[in-house]
Amino acid sequence: MTLRPDLAVIADNVASGARILDVGCGDGALLAALRDQKGCDARGMEIDAANVAECVARGLSVIQGDADKDLAFFPEASVDYAILSQTLQTTMRPDQVLEQLLRIGRRAFVSFPNFAHWKVRTSLLWTGRMPVTRLLPVAWYETPNIHHATVNDFRDMVKARGIKVEQAWFLRGDRQCSAAAASFRAEHAVFLLSR
């Protein structure tokens, strides 16, 4: 199975044999890849019951839970990496979820859509409407995205909280692009964070 581009970046940069918690793990594609290809102790938490059932049917260790409420029940420093892929923008309090990730894991991977990408800006400018794109495929009233963050917004948030950015990757479509003008050019971002 081919991983989504942001998940492929994360999988490529997780150490073999690491302990993983994937929050908002969806169908478990990343968990399965980390378990099968890197020998990781990979566990997940997912809010959608159908996705949890699919993960469990694949032999994955996944529980149903809400990132905004249930991360507090995980022990401190219990995993090497806490992962939040394409989920940050759907949480009620992204700042608090990020703090929980770094409490639970020694490091955290966070990926999210960049709402300052030039196509999003252009759509707003010329049509006066929230865009529907290949990567943001539903209308504003159907989307689970409640926080429309940008690369620069995210950088400001982690800096204000004293969180270290160990590495960052920026994606345009299915390819990586440079960090130069990433807030304008990147459709998605992936950050590796630590304290």
Side-chain angles (χ1 to χ4, degrees), residues 60-77:
L60 297 169
S61 179
V62 175
I63 61 168
Q64 187 171 15
D66 182 335
D68 282 306
K69 300 173 186 167
D70 298 325
L71 290 176
F73 297 111
F74 285 85
E76 189 168 328

Side-chain angles (χ1 to χ4, degrees), residues 21-154:
L21 174 63
D22 187 356
V23 179
C25 62
D27 65 3
L30 178 61
L31 288 173
L34 291 172
R35 177 194 65 190
D36 299 344
Q37 296 166 17
K38 292 210 163 180
C40 292
D41 177 2
R43 300 164 189 275
M45 184 174 78
E46 170 61 36
I47 198 166
D48 182 87
N51 280 339
V52 173
E54 183 178 345
C55 289
V56 171
R58 294 171 71 181
L60 297 169
S61 179
V62 175
I63 61 168
Q64 187 171 15
D66 182 335
D68 282 306
K69 300 173 186 167
D70 298 325
L71 290 176
F73 297 111
F74 285 85
E76 189 168 328
S78 56
V79 298
D80 299 308
Y81 300 96
I83 299 169
L84 191 73
S85 60
Q86 303 299 325
T87 303
L88 184 74
Q89 71 280 359
T90 69
T91 63
M92 293 299 294
R93 289 295 306 268
D95 56 336
Q96 292 176 2
V97 170
L98 189 56
E99 294 289 346
Q100 287 289 350
L101 292 177
L102 289 168
R103 181 189 65 77
I104 296 165
R106 291 185 316 109
R107 300 159 103 188
F109 280 101
V110 178
S111 74
F112 58 92
N114 174 29
F115 287 93
H117 181 257
W118 72 267
K119 287 183 181 177
V120 174
R121 294 178 191 209
T122 303
S123 178
L124 283 168
L125 177 67
W126 293 110
T127 70
R129 290 180 169 75
M130 289 303 295
V132 175
T133 67
R134 177 179 69 89
L135 298 172
L136 300 169
V138 295
W140 67 270
Y141 51 86
E142 298 174 298
T143 183
N145 299 322
I146 59 174
H147 294 287
H148 301 108
T150 70
V151 168
N152 290 344
D153 289 329
F154 187 79

Side-chain angles (χ1 to χ4, degrees), residues 5-26:
D6 62 311
L7 297 181
V9 167
I10 294 168
D12 288 345
N13 290 281
V14 165
S16 295
R19 295 170 300 146
I20 306 295
L21 174 63
D22 187 356
V23 179
C25 62

